[in-house]
Amino acid sequence: MNASQFVVRKTAVLGAGVMGAQIAAHLVNADMPVVLFELAAKEGDPNANVLKAIDNLRKLEPSPLSVRAKADAIEAANYDQHLDLLKECDLVIEAISERMDWKRDLYAKVAPHIGANALVASNTSGLSIEHLSQALPEPLRTRFCGVHFFNPPRYMHLVELIPAAATDPAHLDAIEGFLVTTLGKGVIRAKDTPNFIANRIGVFSMLATLYHAEGLGLGFDVVDDLTGTRLGRPRSATLRTADVVGLDTFAHVVGTMAQSLPDDPWRRYYALPQWLQDLIAAGALGQKTRRGVYQKQGDEIRVLDPGTKAYRPAGGKADDAVAEILKLDDPARKLEQLRASSHPQAQFVWSILRDTFHYCAVHLEAIARNARDVDLAIRWGFGWDRGPFEIWQSAGWQQVATWIGDDIAQGRTMANVPLPAWVCEPGRTGVHDPQGSYSPVERANVPRPSLRVYRRQPFPDLLLGEPRRYGETVFENSGVRLWHSGDDAAVVSFKSRMHAIGEDVLDGVLQSIEIAERDFAGLIIWQTEPPFSIGANLKKDAAGQRRSEPSSVGRFIRKLRREAESLALKAARQMGVADQLMAGRLAEVEKIVQKFQATTQALRYCAIPTIAAADGLALGGGCEVIMHCDRAVATLETYMGLVEAGVGLLPAGGGCKEAALRAAQEARGSDLFPFVRRYFELIAKAEVARSGEHAKALGYLRGADTIVMNRFELLTVAKAQLRALADSGYRPPLKPRNIPVAGRSAIATFQAFMVNMLEGGFISEHDYLIGTKVAVVICGGEVEAGSLVDEDWLLDLERTHFMALIATEKTQARIDHMLKTGKPLRN
C-alpha cells in the first residue's frame, strides 16, 4: 500500500478511559467518524460505561472538544455487542490501561473482526510494541504499530510512532500522513525501547531534578521556580507537572524504566523518593485528587515539605544572583557562570542540565534515529523552548563536552559512563546544521523526512542550526515585512512584539495591499510564529509586555478571557492610544482609529483576494483584521475575540460594524433582533472562542472559512484558498448600501436587560455605559427599527462611541490599572 492511497473513512478507539475518550474526541474534532468501545456495563444499558465517558468529555477543562456538540458524533459501543463495527473501520487505536496482559487479551478478542486492510495501533506510553504484536495473528502484524499520544491529545503536538519488527514501512508512512495532516500532530518515529523517546528523556530529567534537589536541600517551590520559564520550560516546571500528570502515572513510567532497563548506567535512579511513595500511598495523586506535591487551601497554594511531611505556604523563589545568571542571553556565559558558582541553586541548575546532556548523548543511538528526533520530542512532548541537544549546542558544544567529561572524571555526575566517542570528534560544533541532524548509526547528519505529507510544511518547526528563510523581501518597514516564495502570492508578516497592530503595522499593511494589487495575485496575512495578533497596540514601546500564552494548557484556557482583556489593553496602548490619551491628545487617537478602519476596509474591498492565516491568539484588532479578509484559514487552536469591552472600550477597527452587517446578512429579512443580540453579547462579554471551530459557531469566522489541524500546513492551505479565488476571476464584494439595523427599540431592550443586571449588582454603572455604547453602534444608532444604513454610517458610530468611552475617567482608570497590574478593574 502506498501512503498516498491510505484513506481513513472511519476509526475505532478501544478503551474509553482518560486517553481513549480524549483520542476519540480529537478524532471528531477532525470530523473523523469514530466508534468508542468500552466494557459492557453489568447492569442496565450495556453502553452505560462508554456513554458516561462521552458525557464526561463535555465537562472537562481544558475541553478535549473543539465545540462540545462534537461529543454527539462519537458512536458508543461495547465489546459484547458491537465488535462487528470494527469491520467498517480503517484505523483501530487501542488505548486501554498499561497492562501487557490486558492488551494482549483484548487483541485476541478483536482481531477476528478487524478489516482486511485496516491498520491497528496501540496507544502505549512505553510497553514493548514487539511483544504486543505477538498477540496478533501474523497477517495483522504487518499492519500494527505503536502510536503514543501525549495527554491531553487535543493540545499536545507530539505523537510517537513506533514500528514492530514486522510492520510494513508503507503502512507506517500512511499512518504518519494521517496523524500529521488529519490530526495535526508532530510525529516522531521512535525505536521500540522502554518509554520511547520523550518519556525516557523527560522523566529522567525529572528524576535528576528530584535527586539534585534533595542533595542540595532545595524546597519544591524553589525547584519549580528554577526549572520553569527561567529555563525556557513550562510554568508548571517539574513538581507541578508531576501533579498535573498524576503522581501515580509518573510512578508507572518510572517503574517501567526500572523493570525494563536492568543494564542502564542510571538504573539506580529509576526509583521514587520515599516522600513521593508516601503521597501515592495516601491517595494524594496530584491535581486529580486536589492534593499532591502542592495543595490549595482556600486561596492559598501550599507545598509539601519533605522533611516535616507537612504543607507550608508556597512562594519560594530563585536567589537574585542565580536569577540574574539565568537571565543572560548568551547560553555559553550562562552555563559557564552556573558551573562556576558555589551557590547551591546554581549548582543545582548546572547539574540537572549536565546530567540530562550526558544521558541524551549516551542513549541517543539506542532510542532515536537522530538528535533531531530527541529535541523535537522534548519540545513537543514536554514543552521546552529548546531540546537538550539544542541547549548544549547553543552554549558551545566542545566546551560543554569538556565540562561534562571533567565532571565525570571527578565523580560529580549521576553515572560514570564516558561520553560516546562521536561527541568529542575533532571539529564537531553540534548535532544540528543546515544539512540535517546527527545520526549515530549513519555517523552523519541526516536530513528531515522526505514523505509527501511534509511538502505541505514549507516552514516546519525549525531547530537550532537550521536556516530560517522566509522568502524574498518585497517591502519592509518597522512594522511589517512583505515577501514571496517565488510564486504570485504576497505574504505580509508583522514584526511587532506579539504581532500587535501599531501605526507602523497599519501603514505597512496599506502599502502591502497597494503593492500586491499591482504585482501579485493576492495577499496573505500570516505570522512566522503564533500568535496571529493581540490586537491594536496600546503602547509604542512594547518591551515590557509579558508573555501572552501560559505554557500550561489548562491555565491558558481557564484564564483566557482575563488574559485577553489584559492583552487587548496592552494592544491599545502600543497603538499609541494610551500615551496620547493621557497627554490629552484625543484628536490624535481618533486619527489612529480612522486609519485602523481604513485598513480593514482596504482588506475587504481591494482588487485582489485577501486571506488571513491565523494561529493562536487573535484578539481585538487582530480579530477585526481576520473578519475583514475574504477568507480566513485558521488552526483548530485559534482563539479569537473582540475583547475591548473588558477594558472599558468597544471594537473600533470595524468590529462593531462587522457585527451589525453579519447580523443583517444572517437574518435574511427575518426578525433581526435575535441575531443582533448574539453579537451584542459576544462584544459586551468580551467572549473569546475556545477553538477555530468555536469561532465559527460564535460568528467570528464564517462558514466558508477553513479550519486546519496542523499549524505548519497553514500557509500551504492559505495559498490554495488564494489561488482558488484568483483563478475564479476574483472581484471584490460590492459595498452594501442598504443594511437593515435594529434601531432604538432594540437599544432600549438591551438597556432594560442591563438595568436588571445593574440593580442585581452583576454589573457596574460603567459596565452599563459600555454596554449601551455597544448596543447603540450595532443597532445602527437612534433610528427606527428596519432603517437602512451603509457601512460608513456604522463606522462613524463605532468611532464616535469609542472616543466617548476613551474620554471617560473610568475607562482611563481601567486602562491605567491594567497597564500597572495586568489585571482588570471593575469600577
Side-chain angles (χ1 to χ4, degrees), residues 484-547:
H484 69 90
S485 295
D487 52 22
D488 59 359
V491 181
V492 64
S493 301
F494 300 173
K495 295 163 59 178
S496 52
R497 186 175 176 84
M498 305 302 296
H499 306 133
I501 304 171
E503 281 193 89
D504 55 351
V505 171
L506 296 175
D507 289 336
V509 171
L510 286 170
Q511 189 160 350
S512 295
I513 292 171
E514 183 180 334
I515 294 169
E517 284 183 313
R518 184 182 68 231
D519 298 331
F520 293 90
L523 180 68
I524 297 170
I525 302 176
W526 176 80
Q527 316 300 4
T528 57
E529 58 185 21
F532 179 78
S533 174
I534 60 167
N537 201 348
L538 277 181
K539 183 174 173 60
K540 291 179 180 178
D541 177 11
Q545 284 185 323
R546 64 190 176 91
R547 192 172 174 175

Side-chain angles (χ1 to χ4, degrees), residues 239 243 247 275-276 279 283-287 289-296 302-304 311:
L239 282 310
D243 270 356
L247 300 184
W275 61 265
L276 185 49
L279 281 177
L285 305 180
Q287 186 171 284
T289 60
R290 300 186 179 181
R291 185 166 73 95
V293 179
Y294 292 90
Q295 181 181 39
K296 188 173 183 180
R302 300 175 70 82
V303 64
L304 182 72
Y311 289 89

Side-chain angles (χ1 to χ4, degrees), residues 304-362:
L304 182 72
D305 185 320
T308 65
K309 298 185 179 180
Y311 289 89
R312 59 169 176 78
K317 299 288 185 182
D319 181 84
D320 289 344
V322 178
E324 287 302 314
I325 296 175
L326 294 175
K327 288 180 183 178
L328 292 172
D329 291 330
D330 184 348
R333 286 184 59 213
K334 184 184 300 184
L335 264 60
E336 180 181 28
Q337 292 190 26
L338 288 170
R339 186 171 187 269
S341 173
S342 60
H343 196 291
Q345 293 181 12
Q347 284 298 301
F348 164 75
V349 176
W350 161 248
S351 297
I352 63 172
L353 290 173
R354 174 203 63 208
D355 286 319
T356 301
F357 297 159
H358 187 194
Y359 189 87
C360 290
V362 170

Side-chain angles (χ1 to χ4, degrees), residues 220-503:
F220 295 150
D221 46 356
V222 173
V223 167
D224 275 353
D225 189 60
L226 288 166
T227 60
T229 55
R230 295 184 193 275
L231 278 189
R233 300 181 186 180
R235 292 181 183 177
S236 54
T238 302
L239 282 310
R240 286 186 189 276
T241 294
D243 270 356
V244 171
V245 170
L247 300 184
D248 54 338
T249 302
F250 177 67
H252 170 78
V253 177
V254 174
T256 299
M257 294 169 72
Q259 295 168 16
S260 308
L261 299 166
D263 300 322
D264 192 299
W266 285 267
R267 186 183 183 280
R268 69 187 181 95
Y269 301 103
Y270 300 158
L272 301 182
Q274 189 60 49
W275 61 265
L276 185 49
Q277 296 181 48
D278 292 343
L279 281 177
I280 294 171
L285 305 180
Q287 186 171 284
K288 59 189 172 186
T289 60
R290 300 186 179 181
R291 185 166 73 95
V293 179
Y294 292 90
Q295 181 181 39
K296 188 173 183 180
Q297 294 185 353
D299 293 331
E300 183 182 51
I301 303 295
R302 300 175 70 82
V303 64
L304 182 72
D305 185 320
T308 65
K309 298 185 179 180
Y311 289 89
R312 59 169 176 78
K317 299 288 185 182
D319 181 84
D320 289 344
V322 178
E324 287 302 314
I325 296 175
L326 294 175
K327 288 180 183 178
L328 292 172
D329 291 330
D330 184 348
R333 286 184 59 213
K334 184 184 300 184
L335 264 60
E336 180 181 28
Q337 292 190 26
L338 288 170
R339 186 171 187 269
S341 173
S342 60
H343 196 291
Q345 293 181 12
Q347 284 298 301
F348 164 75
V349 176
W350 161 248
S351 297
I352 63 172
L353 290 173
R354 174 203 63 208
D355 286 319
T356 301
F357 297 159
H358 187 194
Y359 189 87
C360 290
V362 170
H363 288 302
L364 173 59
E365 183 170 355
I367 68 173
R369 299 177 303 172
N370 53 64
R372 175 178 51 251
D373 289 350
V374 168
D375 280 344
L376 290 179
I378 294 299
R379 280 167 48 170
W380 295 343
F382 279 78
W384 294 18
D385 289 349
R386 284 185 172 178
F389 285 125
E390 287 184 289
I391 299 169
W392 181 349
Q393 181 170 326
S394 70
W397 185 271
Q398 291 294 349
Q399 179 60 76
V400 174
T402 299
W403 289 336
I404 296 172
D406 290 346
D407 283 6
I408 293 171
Q410 295 170 29
R412 295 177 180 174
T413 52
M414 293 171 68
N416 61 6
V417 59
L419 287 168
W422 63 264
V423 169
C424 304
E425 289 174 346
R428 176 170 295 283
T429 58
V431 291
H432 306 300
D433 66 22
Q435 283 67 53
S437 298
Y438 186 72
S439 165
V441 172
E442 299 191 31
R443 297 188 178 183
N445 284 18
V446 295
R448 285 176 175 263
S450 58
L451 291 180
R452 181 178 178 180
V453 68
Y454 294 114
R455 298 176 199 167
R456 296 171 57 84
Q457 299 185 13
F459 305 106
D461 200 355
L462 296 179
L463 293 160
L464 181 75
E466 292 185 307
R468 297 174 185 269
R469 301 189 189 97
Y470 294 103
E472 181 180 338
T473 301
V474 177
F475 156 76
E476 191 168 12
N477 70 359
S478 60
V480 309
R481 175 175 175 259
L482 181 69
W483 55 278
H484 69 90
S485 295
D487 52 22
D488 59 359
V491 181
V492 64
S493 301
F494 300 173
K495 295 163 59 178
S496 52
R497 186 175 176 84
M498 305 302 296
H499 306 133
I501 304 171
E503 281 193 89

Side-chain angles (χ1 to χ4, degrees), residues 618-782:
L619 305 176
C623 182
E624 289 171 304
V625 165
I626 295 171
M627 293 175 75
H628 283 83
C629 289
D630 291 298
R631 292 284 187 277
V633 179
T635 64
L636 190 72
E637 304 312 327
T638 297
Y639 309 101
M640 294 178 64
L642 297 170
V643 297
E644 292 86 348
V647 288
L649 301 170
L650 57 76
C656 288
K657 176 272 299 181
E658 193 66 14
L661 176 60
R662 291 188 182 194
Q665 291 170 338
E666 292 165 13
R668 295 180 180 177
S670 64
D671 182 13
L672 184 55
F673 183 76
F675 300 93
V676 173
R677 177 174 180 170
R678 181 162 65 86
Y679 283 104
F680 169 79
E681 291 175 349
L682 275 186
I683 295 171
K685 295 179 180 179
E687 186 164 358
V688 177
R690 297 185 299 270
S691 69
E693 288 284 359
H694 190 215
K696 274 193 173 185
L698 293 179
Y700 291 133
L701 294 178
R702 296 153 296 193
D705 293 332
T706 302
I707 305 301
V708 175
M709 297 298 287
N710 195 315
R711 73 181 182 90
F712 297 107
E713 297 182 351
L714 188 62
L715 185 56
T716 295
V717 178
K719 286 188 176 185
Q721 292 287 316
L722 184 150
R723 176 50 53 206
L725 288 172
D727 286 350
S728 63
Y730 175 81
R731 292 294 304 153
L734 296 173
K735 288 188 178 183
R737 302 192 181 279
N738 295 295
I739 305 168
V741 292
R744 62 171 62 93
S745 59
I747 296 170
T749 302
F750 286 130
Q751 287 176 318
F753 170 73
M754 288 187 292
V755 165
N756 291 332
M757 298 285 287
L758 180 62
E759 292 177 349
F762 297 104
I763 62 174
S764 69
E765 289 185 2
H766 196 56
D767 292 326
Y768 176 84
L769 176 64
I770 297 163
T772 296
K773 297 291 187 186
V774 171
V776 169
V777 178
I778 68 171
C779 292
E782 294 287 348

